[in-house]
Amino acid sequence: MSVPAIEVVDLHKSYGSLDVLRGVDLTVGTGEVVCVIGASGSGKSTLLRCVNLLEQPTRGTVRVGGVEVTDPDCDIDAVRRRIGMVFQGFHLFSHLNVLQNLTIAQRRVLHRPILEAEKIARQNLDRVGLADKERAYPLQLSGGQQQRAAIARSLAMQPELMLFDEPTSALDPELVGEVLAVMRSLAADGMTMMVVTHEMSFAREVADRVAFMDGGLILECGPPETLLEAPAQARTREFLHRVLTH
């Protein structure tokens, strides 16, 4: 039995008296795409950020590739090198051009020589359709191009899995498709992905499983054709009715 890429057990996260996560269990297998859906405030992004300890869980266990990241003795920096993360905002360095944005972490964290780092950067810019933008600065790019550059930057670190936190929510509607197309190609290449998203068509098309969160819990999780077409929980049906009819 292969070790899961991500294993979350009884995860809790509280901010004072506010319980954001209330006992979440979720496993993501190697090569699997799991989309997490739910209303704003349901705990989706907090769950994602707990996977690489950007948020410190209050209680529970998170393992990445069999390594318990919630163990106080865990070398979290070593684990994070295996994880790519893409946020709502693009977080590109505005004073660096696209190529420099893709090489800086390779050189400082992985200590790659500049020529190797640039070669890997260019391979990944080509992968996301930005081969002609390596000398451009972030503010010269559209939002969709900036997000694709951010994805390429994560890929340049050659991660084992990718975490996406609503990667299209800051984009104009006409730019969403180009980012989702890159994510589709990553899924087709076998990349392990955990995606917090409001894009139901993407979840239906690309996810192996969809998890619906509400009130800090995963209420149900299953194949998209089951969860999105015939959900078992009334709360899931209510949520889907609302988002799919708007």
Side-chain angles (χ1 to χ4, degrees):
M1 187 74 177
S2 64
V3 174
I6 301 169
E7 191 175 11
V8 175
V9 181
D10 193 31
L11 194 67
H12 293 251
K13 176 63 181 179
S14 301
Y15 300 96
S17 60
L18 178 64
D19 298 325
V20 179
L21 300 178
R22 300 189 296 124
V24 173
D25 296 297
L26 182 67
T27 299
V28 180
T30 300
E32 189 176 28
V33 178
V34 173
C35 286
V36 183
I37 65 171
S40 296
S42 59
K44 307 182 301 297
S45 293
T46 302
L47 169 61
L48 197 76
R49 293 168 68 86
C50 282
V51 170
N52 62 358
L53 244 58
L54 289 176
E55 295 281 0
Q56 186 74 42
T58 306
R59 194 168 90 236
T61 304
V62 178
R63 293 184 184 88
V64 174
V67 177
E68 186 184 334
V69 300
T70 40
D71 183 332
D73 297 325
C74 174
D75 182 352
I76 188 60
D77 290 331
V79 176
R80 283 184 181 142
R81 285 179 205 136
R82 299 157 58 185
I83 304 171
M85 181 142 187
V86 178
F87 301 87
Q88 295 178 36
F90 319 123
H91 300 302
L92 297 169
F93 294 111
S94 61
H95 66 291
L96 300 179
N97 67 31
V98 168
L99 188 67
Q100 291 166 332
N101 265 283
L102 265 69
T103 56
I104 186 168
Q106 293 188 67
R107 296 176 65 195
R108 293 189 178 178
V109 178
L110 302 181
H111 308 295
R112 286 176 181 154
I114 185 167
L115 291 178
E116 181 186 356
E118 287 183 345
K119 178 183 177 183
I120 291 169
R122 289 187 173 106
Q123 288 170 346
N124 285 292
L125 285 173
D126 185 54
R127 193 173 181 183
V128 302
L130 290 176
D132 60 336
K133 298 293 185 184
E134 66 173 59
R135 297 296 172 193
Y137 285 82
L139 293 179
Q140 297 172 311
L141 303 178
S142 70
Q145 289 170 331
Q146 289 186 62
Q147 190 62 292
R148 284 188 282 151
I151 293 171
R153 178 181 55 187
S154 286
L155 294 174
M157 301 296 282
Q158 296 174 320
E160 296 170 17
L161 65 112
M162 292 283 288
L163 307 176
F164 292 89
D165 187 5
E166 299 190 21
T168 59
S169 65
L171 300 178
D172 292 332
E174 67 269 22
L175 301 177
V176 168
E178 64 191 60
V179 173
L180 294 181
V182 170
M183 294 170 65
R184 279 190 196 93
S185 72
L186 291 179
D189 289 343
M191 175 64 77
T192 304
M193 294 161 56
M194 184 172 168
V195 184
V196 171
T197 186
H198 291 293
E199 300 290 338
M200 296 301 142
S201 58
F202 175 82
R204 180 181 284 110
E205 180 187 342
V206 179
D208 295 293
R209 285 183 299 136
V210 178
F212 172 68
M213 285 193 74
D214 187 62
L217 292 167
I218 292 179
L219 288 195
E220 58 181 307
C221 182
E225 59 271 17
T226 302
L227 190 136
L228 298 177
E229 306 299 336
Q233 299 288 330
R235 181 69 189 92
T236 316
R237 290 195 291 274
E238 178 189 331
F239 169 78
L240 289 171
H241 177 72
R242 204 168 67 243
V243 299
L244 296 175
T245 54
H246 281 283

